[in-house]
Each structure stands twice: as structure tokens, then as C-alpha cells.
Amino acid sequence: MIKHRIRQSASCFSFLSSFISISDLQHQQCVPCCSQLTWSTNEFKEWAHQGQGALPVQSALPRTYLILVGYLTDGRQEDKEKLVDGCLYVKDNTGIIPCELLHFELEWLESLFLFPSWSYIPQTDKSAAGYVEILMDPLPVNLPKEVPDIIPVTYPAPAKPLLISRSPCEKRLKLTVAGELARLGPLLCIHHKTFFFLFLKCFTSAVWVPVLVQKPNQLAWHRILQLGHGYTITGLVRSSLKKSGQRTFVTGVSSCLLPYCAEQAREQPLDSAWQREFTQSSSLEAAEQLSDSLELGVEEESSGSTKESKIISYVGTVTKILNIQAGLFLLDDKVCLCLAYQQLLNSARGLRPGACVELIDVHLLQKPLVSFPFIVLGACLSSTVVLKSFSRLSTPYQPPASSGNLYLQLLFRYNLGMPLYLWLVSLLETFEERFSCFFGCRRLLRSSTRRNPGAAEKFLVPLLQAVVPDREEARDIYNEILAKTHQCPLQKYLTLNPPCQAPSLSAVCRAAERKSWEGFSPSQLLSPLEAQHMGTQELNRRLVWSYCTLSAGSFQPRLILLGVLRVSSRSSSLQLQDKSSTLPCVISHKDGSPFAHTALIGSLLQVENYQLVVERFLQTDFPSWEQLANLKHVREKKTSVYVQFYSEDVQVLHAAEGQIQKGLRSRNSSSLRKKDDGSLTSELETPEAKMLKLEDPKPDTHRDENCQKGQSSTRRTSCVSHLFLVTQKEGLMLRNYQLPREEDGEGQELQRNFQATVLWLGRAQLWSHSRESGNLPELEDTSCDGEEGMTQQEVLLLFMGKSLRWFPFLHLDGLYRFVVPHCSDLEVFDKLCFPPVPAKFLSRSSCPRYLPVQDTWHLQHETWISCLTEHQLAARSALRGMDQRISSIPEILSNSFTGSLVSFSGEIVERTLCASPKIEKPSVTLGLQKQKGSLLASDHSVKLSVSVAPGSPVVVDVYIAATYLQHLWGLLPGAKVLFQNLERKISRFHNIYCTYIASSCVSILSLPASHLSFPSSPAGEASSPSLVFLSNLQPHLQHLPQARILCHLSCVLTLSLQWVCSLCSSIFKEGRCTQHSPPCPSHTGVRQASARVLVEDGTGEALVLCRNQHVAAMLGLSLLEWEALQNCVQSRGRVCIQHGEATGTGCVEEPEDLVACYLRSLCRSPLVCRPILLDFSLDRKPSKILQPAPLQLRNFQCGEVEFVSQVGPRPSLLCLNVEEVEQEALNCLNSERIRRTSGHCQVGATA
């Protein structure tokens, strides 16, 4: 009978049509398709063309000729353990598939149908089946059930007293209620129970009653009910909700849903006692409504800027799925629909781009989030979402996660409003986009239901706890649905300015570069008093290199750094990496120890306390300081961005392999991790996995291909390891270790590499992954053996190619272990060693063996010498003296120091860019000039002034050529650094300084303080210089960078005022340069002034050289007087005077010049010869090199009394500042001098 009806129904279809089973549909159909068996070709084309109107870029569904036959069911009989969720299915004897219908009748359940018009939509995940959209009503094969004729009903108005009455006698009375469907709640699943609410309203009044439907066989009613239609529900009983106490009608097992028909309904009157009780309750209800309105008014008045969302209805077309997991859809390209506050139990089937939806009673929120571009329509539990038509486009279907949806879990856990939820979604979207290619979405977005939260939850939970400190009460869904006054999380909102952001690394670099140039002016880098005396060359050189540091608070909103820690084998530097870009980083410890945690490589890190450094490089051609505001002289601007932070400020969101090691923050811990069985294992992996984790992308490959999954399985294979101590490390250089080119074996090219001298400890060890490697058995065996010495052998390691990645982790005094995976040969290290030179030239025993480090070897940091345990003290004493000696800065500056290569640590107090010495050998940097990435010209060098400690007067200068600065990040004022293998030099003025050479190396031990943001004051807030005596200067003169004396200006020996050409430094007179052969094209002059004065403080004398603005202060001239004097000199070009004692200094006077006469009389006046407070430093390049001389007797006269005293040679000083001394200050300083002098005398008498 059934087969006959199926053939009869299908006989009208095209002869090309064929039947398809559900199993074949699910497994063979991989693309969306549409079957319209009753339509002609033109009708189908018109239908498809209309569907493309909203989204013309999308293609229409392709047509197939397939006949689908099956039973419509709600899935109750298919899987007894499966929760019935109100979804509908089509089934046959081969399988079952979900389906969506626009129109459904209850009698269709469990009936056999032929579907003439349907679409199959597969999932984007090919391993999962799709669903069917039923486009037209199916054709029944068997007849529907009959409906009873006359039904006695109760309407909502007379049934309302039952919900208000407190009498228990009517609690189990069953009613049949008929009314108009006023509101339909969404399907909800709470505690594994699925239910929904509907509200029936009187046909003649606004009285309504709620009905709770929760029986599995009745959940399909949700597909039938339509707003505004009349329905009759039988078998209703009164019930109270346990949690909220609210009363509602509840369906029973025997309840039926029938369409309301006035001819078939007969009203059943209620008892008069119920009516009286209803009247009293109605007055009470009115009072409650009045009270609610008054409370609402007070709340609105106190809320201030809090906005009230509007409740509207809307019909629109889905044009884009913004985020299916977050329940965000875009309607009509302008409105965002948020369904996250409802449970999408049908997995959002049907909500594809091109589908039309009707929204009833949704909340309209305008600008809930500052950065969100769309108006938002939020559907709460009182809203209704109706699918009006299916999409006609071949758009994909991706269902939301049925369990472990982190978006919804955090939404409901913290009861977030719409602004915070949209901010949460933006953070999660960015997070997933940046790091899913490294770890996979499942790992990143894993929820805490498994007691092992994923990286995203570790990142977001502290942020949500900060913005929602007093967690609001859990969301009361029953009150949200049933309350007389509507209350839900979407009702009120406040436009949110996000408290923080976590953009991609490429966006971070762009924001940092943009912020570094905001409001930037070249004049900020120079002091106006100094700039006006600089020539063109010096002026532009001082502008070449500058920097600024930015913190998280420098950005609005606050910027959080996220990235996977990688190490580049090309630059040999640490990097934070995401899908978009890489960011070089400098990592230090707060205790000043070097960073050596190899176990962190490949881990996802979060850093909130950091310094983002932007190095700025300018190419300018400013003729003079007066044009600094004219930016047309800036020819090129470049930047280099890197970040520096402390490892203690790092939070590990996702470890590279399993959980992060316990001792990750302690310096003496091994790289260990716990296995599932509780045993400690070394953090080792297969070489393939390790290469994925360590290696940076190739420069010529696409970034998306560089995102390594890191998902390789760890196989238990034997490994060979060897413990060693680093005794010396050299810097990165292009050295003459030559290897054949990869393209052809004939060409030779220099290789970037570095060397390290190490000491093998013990013998090679053979162990597997399960071996406990943190106990350092080599040292323990040695310490227990009191007779035999430690097995030690010095080896010179050469790092080239991919092994350059270990450069940032190797440090002096560090104990490391090389691990050779997939190896069981204990002689693997010996077989690869060979002498650096032939044995016939040099004895092998007198030279360390030479070992090239292989690319597949893994370096593991174990501990430091200073951190060895008590039972390893024997080994520690044996290792003492093997490491490289670290000197102190005072030792290096001592005349008794004899070493040529020095290593020391100190704090950078000043960084200055200067011209490279002309005596520098070009061969030293010839190879480095070929390297790309250097933003400084090769003719520049940087001078670093390094002190012992903050505020220490002992300073040594370190010169580094620009060619070495390509990857030397972190050399900023305030940073504590360790220099190794610098060359100590002595200048012809007997000044001691150091230079960075090919074997040198530098490590950043501590970062500068965060308040050092701009290089205008490179040394930070300098303390006041110490007050000294001239007689006490001589023993400490060489090491004193800056000091202060209270002295008397005896006389001005020489004074020179001149205008020079800014280009060629010739005399500039009357507005033009005086150079004629060849003629100078410059039209800009620079004024310069110099003076040499004699000062004394009662204990000795000194010659002080003053330049430029200090000359005016020394002469006691005001700013206006000084400007007028300079203008007079401009017409003359140059004016010089000299004192009688200064003959032979080369200064030629012009006695007839009025300006010279004025200056001569000024220099001899009492206005100039006065007490002053002088800040000075040593003149390290005096015009005449003074040889050590013995003390001499000199006569001094005070009034009529003549004194004879021994005096030493006059030291040469540079004036740094001149201050006038008031009488009170002079008395105070003199008292201090007398007290200190008396103290020195008492000490001398006691001695």
C-alpha cells in the first residue's frame, strides 16, 4: 500500500529523478545542493536569481534531481540515551538526519512523507553530517489522525485565579486552556532537562497565563506554534517553580496541543469562590505593578549615563555569520544579531547567509562597545526568533559547539552584559586567529570543565574578574521569562571603553611606531643651548639615532602582549611570534642573572609589565638648529621595534609540550616535567617536534605556512647527553669558517657563527625520556669520589646554521647539557671533534678540541655554578677558577691593570652616537657591512658610558661600531649589562676606554627603570654632584666624571667669540662664509664661544675650559646682554682677548676693536672675579698634555700678609654648570668646608 502511494506521488516528477537514501545523502553529497522536483528549469532559475539579490557575490544552490522519502520524527525512538531537544529528523531504514521546516503540523510526527522540494547543507567539517532544509510542505503517504469535535475549554481570564490562589485543593486539577499565543520562549536545556514556556492570551483582553512544556513528546510543539494563532492545550495542572516560587501551568503526559476553533470549543465556567479570590489578587497585582514602576523610576534616575535598551521587532536577511560560536550574525549588512543569551538547541540550522528571519521583542542596543561597528539586536529569553525563509545560496554551515563553548560558558559564569560580552568575543576572536595555527583551536579554547583550562581561559578569566570584581548574582532565567516587569541582562547597558587590548604583533609594532612619531620633533633630541652652537655635521649626526620606551599604559586601552616564544637562527635573537609577525625581545631576571630557560621555547606567553622600545633612525640635512622645526629636511625615517621584560612578569598560557616545569622561575632548576604516572622526565621531544618548536620561519615562505602545529607525538627513543660548563663566549660574527654553498658545491661564502669555550664534565650519558636528568649524576659521582679528580676536557664549540638559535641562552658559569636524540653512541661527541689546526703545527694537548654543534642537537640549561647543592660542593670547588674572570670597572681603570681583553658588568649611564675613529681598520667590519638590517651607517659608532652602580662616579667608556649593533638590543641608559672580551685601550691623553671587537659579547642583565622614557636625559634624574676640594682631586681625577666645587674666579685667561660656517667651520662674517677656495655654498653661521679661566678654592688652583652658554654664565651676562654681544661679533666674524699670563696660546687680539675693549674691561672687573659654584668634569683631551710634576712653592698675599704654600700642577677641568652663590648659601657652604677640613685634620693628627 505504502509503496503504491510513493510511486503514485513520484509519478508526476521528472523521469531523470532518482531515489536517494539518507545514508547515501550523508556520505556521498559533499557540497550543498537543492532538489526541486516539481519546478521547471525557468522557475528554478528565477528562484535562485531572487536569492542572490541580497548577496550577489554568493552562488546559488546547484540543482539535483533526487527524491527523498522518510519519516518525520523527533528522535525519541532512535537513541534512548539521547536527550530530546525539540529538533526534527527525517529517517529511513538506512539512517537519520536533522531537518528544518518552515511549517509543521503535529500530526506529521511519525508519518511517512515524500519531500518534493528540499536542500541538503553539509557541514564545513567534512567528517560530520549536515542537515536538510524542507522548502515546501511534504506529501503525506499515509493519512493523518482525526481530531475530536467538541472540547470544553477555559480561557486565560477565568484561569488566572488558579495561578494566584493559594488554596492547595485545586493544585492537581486538570484544565483545558484555549487562547491566542502571545509569546513563545526559546527551547532551554537546564540540568539535562529540555523545556520551553508559552503564553496564552485572552481573545478579548490582555490577560495571559504562562504554560511550561517539558515532556519529551511535547517539545515538538515548539515547531508548530505561531504567534497570533489560537491554540487549545489539554491536561494542564498548576505548579510552582522550586527555585523562584513562581506559579505556572504545566503540561502533563496526556496533554495535547490542538488548533483553536471557535466552533469546536465550549467554555467551561469556574467556581464563584475562585472569582472572588481572583478579584482580590488582581488589586494586589495592581499595587505590585505600581510599586515596581516606582522602583524602576528611582533606578533610572540614579543610573546616570546608563542607557535603557529599546524592545523592537525586526525582519532582516542574514548577510554574514560574524561568529557562530558566539552566536553573532549580521543582518542586512548593518545590524548585528546576538543569540548568545538564548540556547541554540537546534545548532543554528537554517541561519545561513541569505536566510530571512523575523525578530520579535528583541533589545536594540546602540554602540554598546566603542570599537564595535554595528547596532546590536539582542535576543533574551522573552524574545522570539522565527525563520521566515531558507537561504537559496550555496553558503556553508558550521554548527556552534554543543559542549565546551568557551564564549557561552564565560558569558553565563560572569553574567556579562552585552558590552562586556562583545569585548570578550573580540578578545577571543583575535586570540584564536593569532595562535590557532600553532596549537589548534581545541587546545586554545578548552574550557575548565575538564579541570585543565586552555590558554584562552587562562588569559580571559583574570581580565573578567578585574572588570566584574563583585560578581553579580547568577542569571535568573525563570524571573526573566515570567516576571511582570521585564528584567534581563540586556535591559540596561553602558557604552564600554575596553579596559585592555591584545592586538596582533604586527598591530603592536604599527601602534608603537605611530606613537613614537606622534608629536615628535627633532628639536626634542637636543638642548636648545647646545644645538645653536653645533655645525651641520654634528647637528645631523646627533639626530640620527634616538629611542623611546612605551609601557602597557602608554596605549589606550592598556596593551597586553601575547606571543609564542621563538628563537631565530638567522638573527640569533629571542622573538615573540604570532600568525601576523614576530617581535624581537630581551628577557632578563630581576635578580640580575641571565635568561637561560630553554624550556620556555615554543610556549605561549602573556606579558603585561614590559618596555616596548622603538629605536628611531633619521636621515636629515638640517643646515642649522634654527630649521629644526622644518620637517622637510627629514629625508628618511625608519624604526626598529623590540620589547624587553623580566621573566618573573611572564605568565605561561600554554606550555610547549604538556605542563610547564615546576622550577621554571628558579635559576637552579632543571628543565623537568611530570608524566602522567608522576615521574619526572626531561623536556625532550623528537627532532621533528623540536625543530617545529624552535625554528623560525624561512624568509621567503608565506606566513601562514610558518605556523607550526607542534602536535607531533613523542616517541620514547634513547638519547645521548653530555654535561658541560661555559667558560667563555664570543659574539656573533662573519668569520672565515667556510662551507660549500647549497646551490652549488664550488662557491664558498663566509658563515655567521659564534664560538664558546666549554668544559666537558664527566662522560657522555645514555638515557631515555623516562630518565630523571635533573640530579646531574656527573657531578654527584664526582663529589662522592674523593680520590679521582673530575673528568674534565676543554672543548671549543662552533655554532653555525640552525645551531645559532642557542646564542641567547649560553652564558658564563652556566651548566648545560647537549642532548642528541635518536642516538645510542656514547662516542658521538668524540667522533665529531677534531683539532682546530693540524697537529704538526700545534700540539693537540695544548689546544682545546674543536666541535661543530649539529643542527639537531638540543640544548638544555641545568643550573649555575653558584646554585649547586651541598652534596655537589666538591664539584663546585673543582670548577672554581675554570670560568672567565670578571673584572670590576675600578680595576680596569687602574694603571696597574695589564690585561688587554677585559670582561666586566655595569650600568649604562649615557648613550651617545659619534663618528667612528679614522684609524679603524676597514677589514674588521668589511664582512659585516654586507649584512642586511643595519639601520646605522658604517661610519658611526656608539659610545656607552658605563658605571659601577647608579650614582657611582667611576665611569668607563665603551665604543661599539655601528656594524656590530645590528642585533644588539637593550643597550639603553639604565640597563645593567655584562661585557665580555672587550679590548682595553689607552689614549694619547692617558684615558682608558674599551672597544667592542669581533670576539666581544654583551648580555643584558637588568632592564632600565620604566621612568626612562626619552633620551633627552639619558642618565635619568641625575643626583646633585658631590662637593669636593681641588687639593683632593688629584688622586681621583681620572675616575671622577662630575663634581662640584665652591671656588673663586681669579681671572679670565682667554676669551674667544666667533661665528663659523655650519658646513665647513670657516669664519662666517657679514652673513657669508669666508672660505674662497673652493667657495662654500653655505649661508648659515653658527656662533661659538670659549673661555679659559683660573679658579681657586683655598686648597688649590685649576684651569677651567668653558664653552658656549657657560661662557655667558661665567661672565655674569644676562640673556639679552649675551644676545647683543653675539650680534656685535657677527659683523666682525671673530673677537679674541687674552690675559697676560696666557701668552703663547695662539689667541690674537685686536686692540682697536671696541667689542674687544669692552670684553677686556669686563673680564678684569670685580663683577666677573667673584665666588661661584662650579660643576665640572675632567678635561680628558686638554690642549697640552701635562706630565706629572712635583709640588712647587708659591707665594700668596692676603692684604699685607704674605704666605708660602706648596701647590701641585693645575688640573684641566671642563665647565658643566655655573651657579651664582648668595651670601647665605656662601656662609653655609663655607661652614661645611670648615667642618670637613677640621675632620680631615683630626684624622691626620690621630694617625
Side-chain angles (χ1 to χ4, degrees), residues 205-251:
S205 66
V207 179
W208 52 265
V209 291
V211 178
L212 172 62
V213 181
Q214 59 181 351
K215 300 302 179 182
N217 62 327
Q218 299 165 359
L219 295 179
W221 295 1
H222 198 271
R223 300 302 190 100
I224 305 170
L225 297 169
Q226 299 183 39
L227 295 178
H229 289 221
Y231 296 96
T232 301
I233 304 177
T234 65
L236 296 179
V237 296
R238 189 186 67 174
S239 179
S240 296
L241 301 178
K242 293 181 179 179
K243 186 174 182 180
S244 62
Q246 294 168 316
R247 298 179 182 181
T248 179
F249 287 113
V250 181
T251 60

Side-chain angles (χ1 to χ4, degrees), residues 422-576:
L422 292 178
W423 175 58
L424 165 71
V425 170
S426 67
L427 289 178
L428 264 176
E429 286 177 341
T430 306
F431 191 89
E432 180 181 356
E433 180 185 0
R434 294 173 60 188
F435 304 112
S436 60
C437 58
F438 293 95
F439 309 104
C441 295
R442 187 170 300 177
R443 284 188 176 185
L444 289 178
L445 305 183
R446 183 174 52 208
S447 62
S448 59
T449 54
R450 303 178 183 177
R451 299 182 181 179
N452 187 16
E457 187 171 359
K458 289 182 182 178
F459 167 59
L460 290 171
V461 165
L463 300 181
L464 294 178
Q465 290 175 344
V467 297
V468 193
D470 48 344
R471 283 185 54 185
E472 300 179 11
E473 297 181 0
R475 185 178 176 187
D476 189 351
I477 63 170
Y478 301 105
N479 186 61
E480 183 176 333
I481 296 174
L482 300 173
K484 301 179 182 68
T485 303
H486 181 61
Q487 296 178 359
C488 75
L490 304 179
Q491 188 174 11
K492 295 183 179 181
Y493 68 99
L494 181 65
T495 300
L496 176 67
N497 282 308
C500 63
Q501 58 176 328
S504 64
L505 292 180
S506 60
V508 169
C509 294
R510 289 193 300 267
E513 292 173 354
R514 183 173 59 253
K515 203 162 191 65
S516 68
W517 296 116
E518 284 181 358
F520 172 78
S521 174
S523 59
Q524 299 173 353
L525 305 178
L526 301 172
S527 169
L529 296 178
E530 295 179 359
Q532 60 184 338
H533 305 290
M534 293 181 182
T536 300
Q537 185 176 4
E538 181 183 4
L539 177 69
N540 290 285
R541 184 175 63 244
R542 293 283 293 271
L543 299 176
V544 168
W545 190 22
S546 61
Y547 76 95
C548 71
T549 59
L550 307 169
S551 63
S554 302
F555 301 89
Q556 293 299 327
R558 182 171 55 92
L559 194 148
I560 298 176
L561 279 182
L562 300 174
V564 180
L565 184 64
R566 302 276 171 157
V567 57
S568 170
S569 60
R570 295 190 303 275
S571 63
S572 302
S573 62
L574 293 173
Q575 297 176 342
L576 291 179

Side-chain angles (χ1 to χ4, degrees), residues 145 161 176 188 384 523 566 732 779 792 936 966 1219 1232:
K145 301 176 183 179
T176 298
L188 301 174
T384 304
S523 59
R566 302 276 171 157
L732 286 166
L779 300 185
Q792 302 175 1
L936 285 176
Q966 181 179 357
E1219 296 182 15
E1232 177 67 16

